[in-house]
């Protein structure tokens, strides 16, 4: 077996949260708003629940300054091994994440698409904050597998699947952009399409984590059959959550 280093660079917010039982609740005095940094992407005054990113240890209260954040190796393995496998197996170490890479934000979504007058781009549950790795964060990890060719094969397969899903998403977004929504939402949809389209030509892009939406979670035989499915979008980058570039060292 060979240990191969890689860099994973987030292109949009990366959301990987443990089970909901580990959430922090304001009503239970598990966090105070004084501990929460102001952000244009967070309705701070409305915040009642915080879903943390993965962190080592057990925490009874929200304490981002003292948290030891990490991306589980199993999440990377799952992203690379969808639809394929490695003879001899694959192991992936956890990735330690500096606290400065973690931000607390609302989840944003293009929603209420079945109603032209109500459709909008807005926080999805504005009283819930979710910790995520911010876009443009370079993360260093290691894969353990038979050889470098196996690693390249996995990345190629994951990239191929990601491109199919990106194509599905672009087809869907283009259909939405033709509807008679408010001008503000239509402009937002066109911006997302413009920002996402170049990733169809990116041979290092993969999809990772949660809140990617239906069309970025599975390959669908007939994407045109999908109607009124909400789309989760990182408002800072106007891109779907979970886009990341991976390169072997």
């Amino acid at each position: 077996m060979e240990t191969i280093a890689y860099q994973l660079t987030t292109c949009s917010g990366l959301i990987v949260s443990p089970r909901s039982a580990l959430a922090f609740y304001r009503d239970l005095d598990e966090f105070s708003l004084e501990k929460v940094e102001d952000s244009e992407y967070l309705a701070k005054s409305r915040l009642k629940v915080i879903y943390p990113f993965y962190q080592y240890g057990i925490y009874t209260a929200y304490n981002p300054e003292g948290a030891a954040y990490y991306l589980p190796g199993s999440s990377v393995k799952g992203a690379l091994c969808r639809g394929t496998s490695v003879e001899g197996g694959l192991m992936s170490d956890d990735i330690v994440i500096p606290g400065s890479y973690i931000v607390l934000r609302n989840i944003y979504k293009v929603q209420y698409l079945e109603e032209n007058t109500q459709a909008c781009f807005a926080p999805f549950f504005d009283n819930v904050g979710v910790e995520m790795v911010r876009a443009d964060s370079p993360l260093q990890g290691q894969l353990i597998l038979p050889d470098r060719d196996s690693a390249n094969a996995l990345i190629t397969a994951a990239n191929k699947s990601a491109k199919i899903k990106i194509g599905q998403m672009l087809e869907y977004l283009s259909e939405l952009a033709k509807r008679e929504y408010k001008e503000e939402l239509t402009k937002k949809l066109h911006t997302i399409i413009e920002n996402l389209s170049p990733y169809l030509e990116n041979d290092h892009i993969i999809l990772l984590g949660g809140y990617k939406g239906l069309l970025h979670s599975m390959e669908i035989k007939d994407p045109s059959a999908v109607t009124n499915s909400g789309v989760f979008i990182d408002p800072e980058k106007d891109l779907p959550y979970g886009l990341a570039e991976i390169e072997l060292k």
Side-chain angles (χ1 to χ4, degrees), residues 16 20 27 47 57 67 74 86 88-89 101 105 109 111 136 180-181 188 199:
V16 183
S20 58
D27 289 346
L47 194 60
S74 58
V86 174
Y101 290 3
R105 294 176 176 173
K109 187 181 183 183
Q111 52 194 321
D136 303 318
E180 295 181 358
Y181 292 137
K188 175 64 70 174
Y199 289 99

Side-chain angles (χ1 to χ4, degrees), residues 133-149:
V133 182
R134 60 178 172 80
D136 303 318
S137 297
L139 309 177
Q140 313 302 321
Q142 291 185 325
L143 301 174
I144 303 172
L145 67 181
D147 51 44
R148 194 176 185 88
D149 287 342

Side-chain angles (χ1 to χ4, degrees), residues 91-110:
M91 291 181 285
S92 177
D93 289 344
D94 294 343
I95 298 176
V96 175
I97 300 178
S100 59
Y101 290 3
I102 301 291
V103 291
L104 179 65
R105 294 176 176 173
N106 295 125
I107 299 294
Y108 277 72
K109 187 181 183 183
V110 179

Side-chain angles (χ1 to χ4, degrees), residues 149-160:
D149 287 342
S150 298
N152 280 318
L154 279 177
I155 291 174
T156 297
N159 175 252
K160 180 180 178 181

Side-chain angles (χ1 to χ4, degrees), residues 15-208:
I15 303 169
V16 183
S17 297
R19 61 188 184 279
S20 58
L22 297 178
F24 300 113
Y25 294 86
R26 184 178 172 187
D27 289 346
L28 297 179
D29 293 325
E30 293 175 338
F31 74 88
S32 67
L33 294 183
E34 295 177 359
K35 282 277 189 179
V36 178
E37 291 188 9
D38 291 317
S39 168
E40 63 179 301
Y41 307 115
L42 179 69
K44 178 177 173 178
S45 63
R46 299 180 63 84
L47 194 60
K48 292 185 178 181
V49 184
I50 293 176
Y51 286 95
F53 202 85
Y54 272 91
Q55 43 194 301
Y56 293 117
I58 298 175
Y59 299 82
T60 59
Y62 180 61
N63 182 27
E65 295 87 358
Y69 295 106
Y70 72 99
L71 174 63
S74 58
S75 296
V76 177
K77 181 178 179 180
L80 292 177
C81 290
R82 286 176 183 160
T84 187
S85 61
V86 174
E87 185 175 349
L90 163 69
M91 291 181 285
S92 177
D93 289 344
D94 294 343
I95 298 176
V96 175
I97 300 178
S100 59
Y101 290 3
I102 301 291
V103 291
L104 179 65
R105 294 176 176 173
N106 295 125
I107 299 294
Y108 277 72
K109 187 181 183 183
V110 179
Q111 52 194 321
Y112 308 124
L113 296 170
E114 64 278 4
E115 296 289 341
N116 287 4
T117 57
Q118 295 184 21
C120 63
F121 177 64
F124 179 62
F125 296 126
D126 62 2
N127 61 350
V128 176
V130 178
E131 286 191 326
M132 63 187 76
V133 182
R134 60 178 172 80
D136 303 318
S137 297
L139 309 177
Q140 313 302 321
Q142 291 185 325
L143 301 174
I144 303 172
L145 67 181
D147 51 44
R148 194 176 185 88
D149 287 342
S150 298
N152 280 318
L154 279 177
I155 291 174
T156 297
N159 175 252
K160 180 180 178 181
S161 178
K163 287 180 178 179
I164 290 172
K165 295 169 187 174
I166 290 171
Q168 293 175 170
M169 179 64 77
L170 286 169
E171 181 179 336
Y172 179 56
L173 290 169
S174 296
E175 188 276 326
L176 293 179
K178 296 175 184 176
R179 299 185 186 181
E180 295 181 358
Y181 292 137
K182 295 177 182 178
E183 182 179 1
E184 181 180 4
L185 178 57
T186 299
K187 286 183 177 180
K188 175 64 70 174
L189 290 168
H190 281 295
T191 298
I192 297 167
I193 292 169
E194 182 180 355
N195 291 353
L196 183 58
S197 294
Y199 289 99
L200 276 176
E201 308 301 323
N202 188 320
D203 293 335
H204 298 283
I205 202 71
I206 63 172
L207 294 168
L208 180 65

